[in-house]
């Protein structure tokens, strides 16, 4: 997306990308992918995988490793309403595999992430692609401040949910990004007329062979070495749980954001968020038969071209 493709003589609109993120090792891969192929105008950072102090430090370290001037904005330190468990067991207590990396000397912008999202939506009205890879707290806050936000955003791609209830967090059907802040997801899903949803179940269908992935990292450049170091713990954790494949949820969502035609199967349906229910809080409830009157608010990605997905991963770490 970085280069403008000229089609039949005219320039295809050049999109700008803003990534809302809670790095987190799979966020890291998505951010590497984005900087390889898109014009990234900012990272808005939320709490999620680990606390905001770590997700912010990780985002600053990552832009330093990528050697880019992408601005980083600190967002909300807690979910909108209820406190939630983080995912340090998956990502390490610092969110980046506890490697004790040398912190970046860079600092975050003074502007709050929610305000940065709104400003960017005006600055790049009609050409901004928002990629939401974290709990949706920042985006929900931005929507509460300005309900017209969706009118100015060209595309919203959300990594979140588990569309048939095969989740990975809290209650059985909940996926982490939605389950960590269900109220925020409800605000976003209720306000956004049409967004693209890349869920946990699609992530499980597009897992990566451990050995092939590690061979790819071995072929890569400094980005690959950094990514290899911060993901060692998560890969060991995945293997330890007997997962047959390596799952990189945010990378799959980023692949869809970068190359929308990578999607080979998708369906448009209404998706809601369960806020109560001891057994179901944080569930994404899909109206598969379109039985209720509410229009489809989500394009649910069901399948992508796996080889193109893996090519984007390789390019992101210099192993293309
Ligand atoms: O369920 C996977 C999602 O939760 C990913 O975004 C991961 O980074 C965590 O935030
Ligand atoms: Ca994430």
């Amino acid at each position: 997306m970085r280069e403008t493709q000229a089609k039949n003589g005219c320039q295809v609109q050049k999109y700008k990308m803003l990534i809302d993120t809670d790095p987190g090792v799979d966020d890291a891969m998505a951010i590497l992918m984005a900087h390889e192929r898109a014009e990234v105008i900012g990272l808005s950072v939320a709490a999620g995988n680990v606390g905001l102090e770590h997700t912010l430090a990780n985002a600053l370290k990552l832009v330093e490793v990528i050697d880019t001037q992408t601005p980083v904005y600190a967002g909300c330190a807690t979910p909108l309403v209820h406190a939630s468990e983080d995912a340090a067991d998956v990502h390490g207590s610092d969110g980046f595999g506890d490697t004790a990396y040398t912190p970046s000397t860079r600092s975050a912008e003074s502007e709050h992430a929610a305000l940065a999202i709104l400003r960017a939506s005006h600055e790049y009205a009609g050409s901004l692609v928002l990629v939401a890879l974290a709990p949706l707290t920042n985006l929900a806050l931005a929507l509460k401040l300005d309900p017209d936000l969706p009118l100015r955003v060209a595309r919203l791609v959300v990594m979140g949910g588990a569309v048939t209830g095969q989740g990975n967090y809290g209650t059985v059907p909940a996926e982490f990004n939605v389950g960590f802040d269900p109220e925020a997801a409800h605000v976003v899903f209720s306000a956004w007329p049409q967004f693209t949803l890349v869920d946990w179940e699609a992530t499980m269908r597009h897992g990566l062979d451990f050995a092939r992935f590690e061979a790819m990292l071995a072929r890569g450049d400094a980005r690959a070495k950094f990514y290899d170091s911060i993901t060692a713990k998560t890969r060991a954790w995945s293997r330890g749980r007997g997962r047959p494949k390596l799952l990189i949820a945010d990378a799959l969502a980023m692949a869809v954001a970068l190359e929308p035609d990578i999607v080979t199967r998708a369906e448009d349906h209404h998706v809601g968020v369960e806020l109560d229910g001891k057994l179901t809080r944080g569930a994404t409830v899909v109206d598969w038969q379109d039985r209720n009157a509410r229009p489809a608010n989500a394009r649910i990605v069901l399948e992508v071209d796996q080889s193109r997905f893996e090519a984007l991963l390789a390019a992101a770490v210099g192993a293309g």
Side-chain angles (χ1 to χ4, degrees):
M1 247 187 358
R2 184 190 287 273
E3 64 287 341
T4 45
Q5 302 95 348
K7 277 186 179 161
N8 46 45
C10 64
Q11 296 277 12
V12 171
Q13 188 170 28
K14 194 170 176 178
Y15 285 105
K16 311 278 190 290
M17 182 181 279
L18 191 149
I19 306 167
D20 195 62
T21 179
D22 60 334
V25 295
D26 59 329
D27 301 72
M29 177 54 85
I31 293 166
L32 290 170
M33 291 163 72
H35 281 85
E36 182 65 20
R37 290 287 305 275
E39 189 169 345
V40 182
I41 56 110
L43 301 182
S44 51
V45 182
N49 284 317
V50 288
L52 183 66
E53 72 282 5
H54 286 304
T55 55
L56 193 59
N58 294 340
L60 290 166
K61 183 64 183 179
L62 201 53
V63 293
E64 180 187 271
V65 167
I66 298 169
D67 190 18
T68 174
Q69 294 311 311
T70 303
V72 175
Y73 304 92
C76 300
T78 60
L80 289 186
V81 180
H82 301 292
S84 295
E85 281 291 305
D86 67 19
D89 55 333
V90 179
H91 298 263
S93 52
D94 74 348
F96 262 13
D98 299 325
T99 63
Y101 65 73
T102 307
S104 170
T105 52
R106 300 179 184 212
S107 44
E109 307 298 315
S110 54
E111 188 178 31
H112 189 281
L115 297 177
I117 290 168
L118 291 177
R119 179 177 48 73
S121 73
H122 285 285
E123 214 166 307
Y124 303 106
S127 64
L128 181 66
V129 174
L130 268 186
V131 186
L133 305 176
L136 292 162
T137 320
N138 291 333
L139 198 44
L141 204 53
L143 273 166
K144 284 301 176 188
L145 289 168
D146 180 356
D148 288 341
L149 172 62
L151 303 178
R152 298 187 299 272
V153 172
R155 257 186 318 129
L156 169 64
V157 179
V158 175
M159 190 284 132
V163 292
T164 68
Q166 301 169 68
N168 62 7
Y169 173 78
T171 62
V172 168
E175 171 278 331
F176 182 85
N177 284 339
V178 174
F180 184 86
D181 194 345
E183 283 73 21
H186 168 73
V187 166
V188 174
F189 286 20
S190 312
W192 220 280
Q194 242 282 342
F195 59 92
T196 300
L197 186 67
V198 181
D199 81 322
W200 180 248
E201 295 168 22
T203 301
M204 290 194 285
R205 286 192 295 273
H206 288 286
L208 303 153
D209 176 83
F210 281 98
R212 265 161 57 92
F213 186 78
E214 285 158 353
M216 179 193 80
L217 291 180
R219 292 197 310 273
D221 57 22
R223 293 170 292 178
K225 291 193 181 18
F226 180 75
Y227 191 77
D228 182 38
S229 69
I230 65 170
T231 55
K233 197 163 193 173
T234 303
R235 280 179 278 130
W237 178 86
S238 302
R239 283 192 161 105
R241 286 171 68 95
R243 278 188 178 165
K245 299 265 184 176
L246 183 61
L247 305 177
I248 318 188
D250 293 336
L252 186 66
M254 183 54 73
V256 171
L258 290 170
E259 295 187 359
D261 64 354
I262 201 173
V263 175
T264 51
R265 198 160 56 89
E267 290 187 23
D268 295 348
H269 295 290
H270 184 274
V271 184
V273 180
E274 175 57 66
L275 300 179
D276 309 308
K278 262 174 88 69
L279 296 178
T280 55
R281 175 168 161 78
T284 40
V285 181
V286 180
D287 184 355
W288 291 104
Q289 280 75 41
D290 302 320
R291 286 193 306 114
N292 67 34
R294 285 166 296 185
N297 55 350
R299 167 145 303 173
I300 301 167
V301 172
L302 297 169
E303 205 169 75
V304 308
D305 180 317
Q306 183 76 11
S307 55
R308 285 175 63 181
F309 172 39
E310 296 192 14
L312 284 168
L313 295 171
V317 293

